[in-house]
Amino acid sequence: MRFFLDTADLDEIQEAASWGVLAGVTTNPTLYSRIGGKLDDFQAHIKRICDAVGPDCPVSAETVAMTRDEIVRDGRELAAIAPNVVVKVPTMVEGLAATRTLADEGIRVNMTLCFTVPQAMLAARSGARYISPFIGRFDDISEDGIDQVAQIVEAVGNYDFTGSTVNGEQIEVIAASIRSANHVTKCALMGADVATVPFGVLKKMVKHPLTEAGIESFLNDWEKVK
Ligand code: G3P
């Protein structure tokens, strides 16, 4: 499992990158608005994120266009920011059509707001490089987000979609809308390729009371040795 950071906050991204565990970044309009981002600085901000994480880390930047032509136009613009930009496109008819065009042009797409196996199958067939099912938002409506995402991971793994993707790359499922370290545990057990996590969750993933107690007792005992 690889870890992406689900944020537009450059400080968080730089901090997580310094830990040596960051494999990518996902943003969305809400996350960009949360850091006080403005429209005229959006592309420059995505460039700053790309520069911060380096060329091997995919950075998802989302279009808010609603027609296929506009999504394709946005997708081309976003992809031109840096080679590691992945265009985030919502799961909808216009998004599928635009994804096919973008993938045929060699532009990678992360199909987002994916909630069901049929949606995921269509996303995969449209040429999406990544599929992002949301866990927490399923939980929010009293459904089992983990179970839904596990079904998507299993279904995507049943088929070879490499004929549809850019350069025949393997499709990866990004478990998104992750709200806790326990969600990460479940995603790892189900075999999700990627978990995109808020920085708060990443910090919690490192910690365990027994780890902290163990460090403290080792340090205390080392004092006796000295
Ligand atoms: O990557 C999508 C994710 O940011 C959504 O998370 O917590 O807003 O449902 P959340």
Side-chain angles (χ1 to χ4, degrees):
M1 165 176 270
R2 303 197 324 285
F3 294 107
F4 290 3
L5 204 60
D6 197 27
T7 185
D9 186 313
L10 209 49
D11 291 338
E12 291 181 350
I13 291 165
Q14 283 165 337
E15 176 64 19
S18 78
W19 295 6
V21 296
L22 190 63
V25 174
T26 50
T27 69
N28 64 34
T30 302
L31 295 170
Y32 185 59
S33 129
R34 205 174 278 164
I35 60 157
K38 295 293 171 216
L39 180 61
D40 60 4
D41 190 46
F42 179 61
Q43 295 199 6
H45 191 72
I46 294 297
K47 179 77 169 75
R48 287 192 282 274
I49 294 174
C50 289
D51 290 344
V53 296
D56 295 332
C57 286
V59 174
S60 289
E62 189 156 346
T63 173
V64 290
M66 287 293 121
T67 67
R68 66 190 73 183
D69 289 346
E70 287 169 345
I71 295 168
V72 168
R73 185 203 59 206
D74 269 15
R76 288 174 182 147
E77 270 184 28
L78 292 169
I81 296 172
N84 49 333
V85 166
V86 174
V87 182
K88 219 170 172 188
V89 175
T91 308
M92 57 183 185
V93 169
E94 297 296 304
L96 293 172
T99 297
R100 181 71 274 152
T101 302
L102 292 169
D104 287 345
E105 293 179 10
I107 294 172
R108 292 175 183 81
V109 168
N110 173 1
M111 188 146 280
T112 188
L113 290 167
C114 182
F115 288 93
T116 68
V117 169
Q119 286 180 318
M121 293 293 98
L122 290 170
R125 201 45 78 191
S126 75
R129 171 67 174 76
Y130 301 97
I131 300 173
S132 290
F134 282 28
I135 296 173
R137 293 192 193 189
F138 250 129
D139 292 350
D140 289 343
I141 59 163
S142 303
E143 295 209 27
D144 186 344
I146 289 295
D147 187 48
Q148 300 289 343
V149 175
Q151 286 184 26
I152 288 173
V153 168
E154 184 180 344
V156 170
N158 282 342
Y159 300 97
D160 178 4
F161 291 106
T162 54
S164 293
T165 54
V166 174
N167 298 331
E169 292 170 353
Q170 204 72 44
I171 284 184
E172 291 182 293
V173 175
I174 303 177
S177 188
I178 285 180
R179 308 270 175 81
S180 67
N182 191 41
H183 275 164
V184 177
T185 301
K186 300 278 173 52
C187 289
L189 291 173
M190 76 174 71
D193 302 295
V194 177
T196 189
V197 296
F199 190 51
V201 171
L202 188 69
K203 285 194 285 190
K204 283 185 187 151
M205 285 165 55
V206 186
K207 290 183 177 289
H208 191 278
L210 290 178
T211 307
E212 278 152 33
I215 290 171
E216 193 181 344
S217 78
F218 286 155
L219 289 177
N220 287 339
D221 290 340
W222 195 246
E223 284 303 313
K224 295 174 201 158
V225 173
K226 289 198 288 188

